[in-house]
Amino acid sequence: MDFNLLRGLRVVESSAFIAAPLAGMTLAQYGAEVIRIDMVGGGIDYARQPMMPGGRSLYWTGLNKGKKSIAVDIRQPAGRELVQALVTAPGNGGVLLTNIGVPWLSHAHLSERRKDLITCTIEGNPDGTTAVDYTVNCAAGFPAITGNGSIDSPVNHALPAWDIACAYQAAFGIAAAAANRQATGGGAQMRLALSDVAFSTLSHLGMLAEAELLNQERTSLDNFLYGAFGKDFGTFDGHRVYVAAISLGQWKSLVAACAMQGACEKIEQEAQLNLEKEEDRFAARLAIAAYLEGWFKTRSFAQVRETLDTHKVCWGPYQTVMEALARDPRLSEANPIFTRVNTAGVGSHLAAGGTLRMGTTHTGSPVPAPLLGQHTDQILQEVLGLSGAALGKLHDDGIVAGPERDPLVNQPLSV
């Protein structure tokens, strides 16, 4: 199957942070031509950590794989005009992805130049006020129930979950709008608020109804899994694993692996519970965990791994990214989503492409992030039809720049 389902669609991305760049990268993985607009010399996230010793951002290069880069000074009217022209150029373009809410990139302004324009603007709150993942996450209540957190001592998780969820919704919305335009000829003005993504998830997971209808707050559970049984345990040689038994099949596998039939019968009798029910396993989580603590701490990690795998238990090891890179086949070239690429200013490294697969075919191999302004002349010639003389004047006036103006990577561009 050909995963380049968006082949021929041109998307102009003017963005920063995570949500919008990740949405653009996702569209590129499905075959769209994504043109990223950056300031000459780089925008606010061009040098964001982590960085290579030479100054190349692994953050920026990670989020901009597969895109084309044009460097434009959007502080100047001539630079803004170029971006507007790129967005509204005829053909399969006419799509803008942005989280920069400025009037000159508004749908109302740009749609005067192209009636079937598609725009997707990511914003913090639905009223247009600013918010980021961390300020949205705390307001949605999750730090109060993470780990041993509480409202007085909240625990933030490290994953920017709402940025990620927002990115995929934005990519889906653009793909859907492009399909609708092809069918009807109509454009679309879309706005997506980061806080709406977070607060709507409270509804989707039943947490909003729990608070409203049952008048109860979800409490923190340490590392227990809510609603069934799941917990972390340490082996005698210093490793730590997590086991989950949500379905009945998973529970039976765990019981067999840890030889806990007798312990389960005792727990059921004493607590008047049926551990084949998820909610009863959750109610008896402390007693179950007490038995399993002893089972795990008397065995080595190798013994635990062999036993759990033999019984098809749902489990996973705790490991750092470096440890996973060294020993986990899911994070290696043995997994077809990963390929070794050579990114300018970074070097050779493992990078992920798309994750969907059909048989043995995956969404697409990763393409290294471009140098800043790598495609400036190419895009302006191909999309806007500018002549060499016109391009030269734009360069001379400092309106646009090519890779030679990249402040972090002073090296010849190799193709």
Side-chain angles (χ1 to χ4, degrees):
M1 176 180 178
D2 186 354
F3 271 106
N4 291 316
L5 303 178
L6 299 178
R7 181 188 291 111
L9 180 67
R10 185 172 64 246
V11 178
V12 175
E13 175 197 319
S14 180
S15 70
F17 301 114
I18 296 175
L22 180 57
M25 191 185 74
T26 302
L27 293 167
Q29 289 176 333
Y30 284 90
E33 179 188 26
V34 179
I35 301 170
R36 179 179 168 91
I37 307 296
D38 269 302
M39 278 291 297
V40 174
I44 62 173
D45 57 354
Y46 187 59
R48 184 162 292 153
Q49 295 186 15
M51 292 186 294
M52 292 295 290
R56 188 75 155 146
S57 169
L58 300 177
Y59 172 98
W60 192 92
T61 55
L63 283 171
N64 291 295
K65 295 188 294 290
K67 301 177 187 178
K68 294 180 178 179
S69 172
I70 176 171
V72 182
D73 187 351
I74 59 175
R75 295 168 298 189
Q76 300 192 51
R80 295 179 180 181
E81 169 60 30
L82 281 177
V83 176
Q84 291 169 336
L86 283 174
V87 173
T88 58
N92 288 331
V95 181
L96 172 68
L97 167 63
T98 186
N99 63 341
I100 303 175
V102 290
W104 62 274
L105 278 181
S106 70
H107 185 92
H109 185 76
L110 295 173
S111 62
E112 294 177 358
R113 303 172 61 158
R114 178 162 177 164
K115 298 302 181 184
D116 65 348
L117 178 72
I118 295 171
T119 61
C120 180
T121 302
I122 295 175
E123 50 199 357
N125 294 306
D127 63 0
T129 55
T130 186
V132 296
D133 187 284
Y134 306 97
T135 61
V136 165
N137 187 55
C138 66
F142 287 94
I145 61 173
T146 298
N148 287 314
S150 67
I151 197 63
D152 298 316
S153 183
V155 177
N156 289 335
H157 54 73
L159 179 72
W162 310 120
D163 279 330
I164 295 168
C166 187
Y168 294 142
Q169 288 200 33
F172 173 82
I174 289 174
N180 181 69
R181 183 173 68 181
Q182 188 173 20
T184 68
Q189 179 183 7
M190 297 178 289
R191 295 169 60 208
L192 180 60
L194 192 66
S195 62
D196 283 345
V197 173
F199 284 114
S200 66
T201 301
L202 291 175
S203 172
H204 303 332
L205 298 182
M207 299 173 72
L208 178 61
E210 177 185 11
E212 181 181 5
L213 302 178
L214 301 180
N215 195 32
Q216 66 184 32
E217 291 277 16
R218 186 78 61 88
T219 58
S220 58
L221 297 168
D222 190 28
N223 281 343
F224 280 106
L225 183 153
Y226 175 79
F229 183 78
K231 184 68 170 67
D232 60 304
F233 299 98
T235 66
F236 89 77
D237 54 352
H239 291 268
R240 202 154 194 89
V241 303
Y242 196 94
V243 295
I246 301 173
S247 70
L248 181 57
Q250 291 171 345
W251 171 247
K252 288 182 176 180
S253 294
L254 181 61
V255 170
C258 299
M260 57 186 299
Q261 293 89 343
C264 289
E265 292 173 1
K266 183 178 179 181
I267 293 171
E268 289 177 326
Q269 290 172 359
E270 292 178 350
Q272 293 297 295
L273 296 172
N274 178 2
L275 296 185
E276 291 195 350
K277 296 180 178 180
E278 289 181 23
E279 62 271 26
D280 284 4
R281 295 197 291 277
F282 179 65
R285 62 188 180 277
L286 294 177
I288 295 169
Y291 173 86
L292 289 175
E293 287 280 1
W295 189 90
F296 280 95
K297 73 179 181 181
T298 58
R299 288 164 174 80
S300 68
F301 177 73
Q303 291 172 315
V304 166
R305 178 177 55 196
E306 181 180 2
T307 302
L308 298 186
D309 284 347
T310 298
H311 289 85
K312 296 182 171 56
V313 173
C314 183
W315 76 283
Y318 282 86
Q319 56 191 14
T320 67
V321 176
M322 290 185 67
E323 288 171 339
L325 187 61
R327 65 193 183 204
D328 196 324
R330 294 171 296 183
L331 191 58
S332 72
E333 289 182 84
N335 184 342
I337 72 167
F338 287 103
T339 303
R340 188 157 292 278
V341 299
N342 198 328
T343 301
V346 173
S348 176
H349 63 98
L350 208 60
T355 50
L356 280 179
R357 62 185 185 273
M358 180 70 73
T360 58
T361 303
H362 281 70
T363 311
S365 297
V367 176
L371 292 171
L372 190 69
Q374 179 174 330
H375 305 94
T376 297
D377 289 0
Q378 174 192 341
I379 294 298
L380 294 180
Q381 287 177 321
E382 293 180 355
V383 179
L384 300 185
L386 297 188
S387 66
L391 282 172
K393 187 175 189 311
L394 288 171
H395 280 277
D396 292 342
D397 292 343
I399 305 299
V400 302
E404 73 281 352
R405 290 284 301 278
D406 187 328
L408 302 179
V409 184
N410 292 313
Q411 59 183 44
L413 173 62
S414 60
V415 181

